[in-house]
Amino acid sequence: MTKYIDTKITDKETEHSLPVLDGTMGPSAVDIQTLYTNEDMLAFDPGFRSTASCKSAITYVDGDEGVLLYRGYPIEELAEKSTFEEVAYLLMYGELPSETEYAQFTDTLGDLSLLHDQVLSFYRGFRRDAHPMAIMVGVVGALSAFYHDRMDMSDPEQRELAAYRLVGKMPMIAAASHTYHIGRPIRYPRKVLGYAENFVQMMFGKPHVEYEIDPILVRALDRILILHADHEQNASTSTVRLTASSGANPFACMAAGIASLWGPAHGGANEAVLDMLTDIGRVENIPDAVARAKDKKDPFRLMGFGHRVYKNFDPRATVIQQSAKEVLNHLGLDDPLLEIAMRLEEIALEDEYFIERKLYPNVDFYSGIVLRAMGVPTNMFTAIFALARTVGWVSHWLELTAEPHGIDRPRQLYVGPTLRHYPK
Ligand code: SDX
């Protein structure tokens, strides 16, 4: 007889009740920690669709209502009124910084934005055509070799220093992944510049000519960084938390997060969106692409559509769609891929298949258009996502390491061979 779990499980001898935990917002959670001990039974949830892996106070997502809050503040308000540095402080510390706190925060990030000169030699070990994400996974993981002296994670000060080093150095690591790839000298950050501004000058600046920073593009990038900074327990953040639970050092944890983000179903989607739009090529080819996306025999998916949590519009997509139009107008660009994107969105949103499955454009659908308009090469899109999400990963890492609960170790429903012995 199948036993169903609800707030009480009963069997012949004993009866156990499972407490229901309430958060400050969103769904409650049935606390099943005693399930295995008391009932010798596991909960089965392979995609974690119905599983809360932890308690967190950082980001709240309501997929049905299309709501995203960073420490309680709506993403739309932060994208319009805040800066990435201020959002980074908010995610890491839980409150918006005072003027003094903001000045100290940005000053420390600036002081720690330089890479150890020997780290730069790692870049030369990569083939020139290495994907920037491959370089970032390697270089970020290798930072453990440079800061092993200050790696006592039970010390809050050393945890904070590691967090600052990661957030501070990521722009140079990401930008250097691009300049190395194209054979241009790696550039250094300038402390006088803001976070997004510095990344832009390290990405696009050349040693032999003065680089004029376009404030409109910097603002667009700053907004993209804000929108991508955190997103509760997504695959890469959960990877960081699982890695951190074993006590691995913060640089190894972030390298694991970068590796997970790289997948096309996750952070790699923005690059995949551009590749898809390029393959579609013309508005006339959209119906065929939509038909392929609906065909179960065809592995093709509409990149940039759908989301594990959002079954409504991704609020970030709405903000980025506006950014895409602003940047293209500012640059006087008439990007045919944006036209294909807008038409594809229209067609998909009218199609029963997408409506029925609540498949809406997600943040990645438009971010690639903005980045492409800014002259960012497609293979750098996910690297920029990683640059932004480092703040989220670091914030979750700080939250977990402040109150470590021991190693995370999921179980399984075993469906393999039963006991058998080696033939004599
Ligand atoms: C990000 O988790 C996060 O928070 C992630 C992120 C973040 O900030 O960290 O928001 C960033 O990763 C955004 C998502 C970017 N990925 C893509 O755009 C890739 C394309 N999208 C799909 O791969 C898919 O939608 C997922 C992976 C995003 C979500 O997949 P789900 O929730 O597991 O959905 P599903 O596979 O259960 O699909 C439900 C149905 C299926 O059809 P049926 O079996 O019911 O007939 O919808 C279909 C799927 O085939 N479907 C799609 C589709 N996505 C789902 N069909 C065509 N095109 C798609 N994109």
Side-chain angles (χ1 to χ4, degrees):
M1 184 187 86
T2 307
K3 278 196 284 187
Y4 287 92
I5 187 171
D6 55 18
T7 50
K8 278 186 183 304
I9 305 173
T10 57
D11 60 16
K12 289 183 271 314
E13 297 81 40
T14 56
E15 188 163 315
H16 296 108
S17 67
L18 295 168
V20 174
L21 306 176
D22 293 325
T24 47
M25 293 177 75
S28 300
V30 178
D31 183 346
I32 61 167
Q33 297 181 75
T34 58
L35 189 63
Y36 182 61
T37 320
N38 292 340
E39 295 291 334
D40 193 26
M41 183 194 286
L42 300 172
F44 184 65
D45 185 18
F48 305 121
R49 291 170 188 265
S50 302
T51 294
S53 61
C54 62
K55 289 181 182 175
S56 179
I58 299 171
T59 294
Y60 174 71
V61 176
D62 181 332
D64 295 328
E65 298 302 318
V67 169
L68 170 54
L69 310 177
Y70 286 169
R71 299 285 190 178
Y73 293 98
I75 192 67
E76 297 87 340
E77 292 176 23
L78 293 170
E80 188 192 331
K81 300 172 184 167
S82 186
T83 64
F84 181 66
E85 292 95 322
E86 187 179 61
V87 165
Y89 186 97
L90 171 67
L91 288 170
M92 287 169 66
Y93 292 101
E95 296 297 336
L96 290 169
S98 65
E99 268 186 43
T100 314
E101 288 164 335
Y102 184 79
Q104 283 167 352
F105 181 67
T106 51
D107 190 55
T108 308
L109 285 182
D111 284 339
L112 295 171
S113 59
L114 213 48
L115 278 175
H116 188 296
D117 209 43
Q118 272 188 272
V119 173
L120 302 185
S121 57
F122 284 121
Y123 286 83
R124 296 204 175 284
F126 288 97
R127 285 171 43 135
R128 285 283 178 186
D129 60 355
H131 193 288
M133 286 296 276
I135 296 176
M136 285 183 75
V137 169
V139 171
V140 172
L143 290 181
S144 329
F146 285 80
Y147 302 115
H148 48 75
D149 57 322
R150 309 272 288 153
M151 210 70 92
D152 171 7
M153 292 302 110
S154 63
D155 175 354
E157 277 184 23
Q158 292 190 43
R159 292 202 298 267
E160 187 176 40
L161 175 58
Y164 273 94
R165 278 172 162 159
L166 281 157
V167 176
K169 295 179 192 304
M170 207 53 91
M172 186 174 177
I173 291 171
S177 305
H178 167 63
T179 46
Y180 171 72
H181 185 71
I182 59 172
R184 197 182 291 157
I186 289 175
R187 287 173 65 86
Y188 294 97
R190 287 166 38 207
K191 192 176 168 188
V192 69
L193 298 179
Y195 200 86
E197 223 177 350
N198 240 328
F199 177 73
V200 166
Q201 69 87 5
M202 288 190 282
M203 262 287 285
F204 297 114
K206 297 177 184 134
H208 62 305
V209 289
E210 196 53 40
Y211 179 68
E212 199 180 318
I213 296 174
D214 182 335
I216 302 285
L217 299 191
V218 168
R219 180 65 190 123
L221 177 67
D222 192 76
R223 191 175 289 165
I224 283 186
L225 295 178
I226 290 173
L227 294 171
H228 286 79
D230 193 50
H231 211 241
E232 62 142 81
Q233 304 308 320
N234 59 85
S236 53
T237 301
S238 297
T239 301
V240 169
R241 289 184 84 117
L242 193 72
T243 309
S245 75
S246 75
N249 74 71
F251 306 101
C253 294
M254 299 310 138
I258 294 171
S260 168
L261 184 75
W262 195 1
H266 189 14
N270 50 20
E271 182 175 350
V273 166
L274 261 291
D275 294 343
M276 173 188 74
L277 294 174
T278 307
D279 290 347
I280 290 174
R282 300 167 49 233
V283 170
E284 295 73 28
N285 299 337
I286 290 176
D288 179 53
V290 171
R292 285 189 57 206
K294 293 157 56 174
D295 178 357
K296 291 301 162 205
K297 290 190 291 300
D298 190 329
F300 177 76
R301 285 270 199 283
L302 279 193
M303 291 291 109
F305 276 81
H307 197 278
R308 174 56 59 82
V309 176
Y310 286 122
K311 300 309 173 190
N312 194 326
F313 239 83
D314 180 338
R316 302 169 296 177
T318 313
V319 176
I320 275 202
Q321 183 189 47
Q322 189 48 39
S323 257
K325 289 176 186 163
E326 285 167 12
V327 169
L328 289 169
N329 290 339
H330 170 68
L331 296 173
L333 291 179
D334 177 13
D335 187 346
L337 293 190
L338 180 64
E339 192 197 342
I340 294 172
M342 305 289 271
R343 190 75 192 98
L344 177 59
E345 180 189 22
E346 266 172 48
I347 294 172
L349 293 184
E350 288 160 4
D351 187 295
E352 201 40 51
Y353 173 95
F354 292 88
I355 296 168
E356 198 181 291
R357 292 166 179 79
K358 300 182 179 179
L359 301 175
Y360 296 94
N362 56 46
V363 64
D364 295 292
F365 188 66
Y366 287 104
S367 57
I369 299 278
V370 179
L371 293 171
R372 172 188 154 95
M374 294 171 61
V376 175
T378 309
N379 68 7
M380 274 298 290
F381 289 5
T382 311
I384 290 174
F385 194 153
L387 170 60
R389 190 51 58 90
T390 296
V391 162
W393 293 333
V394 159
S395 303
H396 283 270
W397 178 77
L398 287 171
E399 184 178 63
L400 181 143
T401 49
E403 292 177 27
H405 57 263
I407 194 163
D408 294 338
R409 205 283 189 200
R411 300 300 307 276
Q412 62 178 13
L413 182 67
Y414 178 70
V415 292
T418 53
L419 176 64
R420 55 185 174 169
H421 295 287
Y422 188 76
K424 289 289 167 269

